[in-house]
Amino acid sequence: MKISSVVHMVEQDGIVQITMEDRQHKNMFSEQLIEGLRESFATIEHLPQCKVVILTGYDNYFASGGTQEGLLAIQDGRSKFTDLNLYSLALNCRVPVISAMQGHGIGGGFVMGLFSDVIILSQESIYNTNFMKYGFTPGFGSTYIVPRKLGFALAQEMLLTAENYRGAELAQRGVPFKVLPRTEVLQYAYKIAESLADKPTESLITLKDHLVASIRSELGPIIQEELQMHEKTFHQEGVRQRIVSLFGQ
């Protein structure tokens, strides 16, 4: 099922695979990718046969975060990261979501994947929370979900430094996720998905609701705090210069 020109969705035996494939923008949050993701997750809500979702990218890209135009719009005060609300798609999905991050997860793209219920990384790929590279404080719920999923010490380092980390390095640092060669990530995701699809749908929904209840209830205030930090940090002239000069490097 083709949801948009850059997002494809297929369903078989209770497993829905959503593939992000915006080759022009390398899976940055383009308008087409945003529209496709939101439509995909909305469609899943009306697929009673769906028991589990696999979210993945193409080749060596999982998701690459905001576009330069999108970041400049926030810097100019024309938008906020909450306008997209991509970060909560997996969290609020009624069934479990597996992020098969076979490729690079950059900034908001990495954070979006962390909101899934099961996370798989690739050894070769780069993952980062690169917000501070451009001089503005992290958003997208990253100040909450990165420490929760990776542990405080590693998350604090990643958020402050905005440096790149290969999946193999994150495995050495003790992240609690499976980190596999890129060619094995999707295969392993299906292994987990098939195990989940064997369970009753209502039981999966009920257990997910219980497991993520604290995240859903605690995230809102954190998002507001991130927006308040953005009011202090995003609109500096130096930030605009960084977005213009450093984007894509």
Side-chain angles (χ1 to χ4, degrees):
M1 183 186 306
K2 193 170 185 178
I3 293 296
S4 76
S5 60
V6 298
V7 177
H8 316 284
M9 190 171 80
V10 294
E11 185 273 329
Q12 185 174 3
D13 299 327
I15 301 170
V16 170
Q17 179 180 327
I18 300 173
T19 304
M20 301 175 284
E21 193 176 354
D22 189 344
R23 292 179 178 269
Q24 178 182 352
H25 298 98
K26 297 180 179 178
N27 274 359
M28 285 187 282
F29 294 151
S30 63
E31 291 184 8
Q32 299 96 323
L33 190 71
I34 293 167
E35 176 187 355
L37 284 172
R38 295 174 75 170
E39 186 174 342
S40 295
F41 278 94
T43 300
I44 287 166
E45 295 303 309
H46 303 286
L47 287 180
Q49 70 271 30
C50 176
K51 292 187 174 185
V52 58
V53 176
I54 296 173
L55 179 64
T56 194
Y58 76 93
D59 296 348
N60 60 337
Y61 288 97
F62 174 69
S64 302
T67 63
Q68 186 179 57
E69 293 76 11
L71 295 180
L72 289 174
I74 297 176
Q75 202 279 332
D76 291 341
R78 291 180 282 121
S79 67
K80 300 176 180 179
F81 74 84
T82 48
D83 295 343
L84 305 180
N85 200 18
L86 291 179
Y87 53 87
S88 67
L89 291 177
L91 176 65
N92 291 331
C93 185
R94 65 189 181 89
V95 296
V97 179
I98 301 168
S99 275
M101 290 199 251
Q102 88 308 326
H104 306 314
I106 307 300
F110 179 49
V111 175
M112 180 178 69
L114 292 181
F115 277 101
S116 294
D117 304 286
V118 178
I119 297 155
I120 309 163
L121 305 180
S122 90
Q123 295 172 351
E124 307 94 322
S125 297
I126 289 172
Y127 304 99
N128 67 39
T129 54
N130 64 348
F131 307 93
M132 288 288 282
K133 170 183 176 181
Y134 303 109
F136 58 85
T137 49
F140 227 70
S142 58
T143 61
Y144 177 85
I145 202 65
V146 180
R148 180 157 182 141
K149 292 296 181 78
L150 300 184
F152 181 77
L154 177 57
Q156 188 174 35
E157 178 184 315
M158 291 185 74
L159 290 166
L160 284 169
T161 66
E163 294 292 336
N164 295 331
Y165 297 76
R166 294 278 179 187
E169 179 183 355
L170 292 177
Q172 292 175 348
R173 298 286 296 271
V175 295
F177 315 132
K178 200 76 169 178
V179 184
L180 300 169
R182 177 174 293 137
T183 56
E184 298 178 16
V185 169
L186 190 58
Q187 179 182 0
Y188 187 76
Y190 267 92
K191 179 181 178 181
I192 297 176
E194 288 165 1
S195 176
L196 294 176
D198 182 57
K199 277 67 173 179
T201 304
E202 189 59 35
S203 297
L204 289 170
I205 294 172
T206 301
L207 181 55
K208 170 166 179 170
D209 282 343
H210 174 74
L211 291 173
V212 302
S214 62
I215 300 177
R216 288 171 175 169
S217 64
E218 294 167 7
L219 183 61
I222 298 296
I223 295 295
Q224 293 306 309
E225 291 175 4
E226 289 183 349
L227 287 172
Q228 291 171 12
M229 288 193 292
H230 276 186
E231 286 300 314
K232 295 180 179 179
T233 65
F234 222 119
H235 307 301
Q236 304 170 86
E237 181 56 32
V239 168
R240 182 177 185 84
Q241 293 172 356
R242 282 172 174 266
I243 294 171
V244 171
S245 63
L246 298 178
F247 192 87
Q249 296 184 11

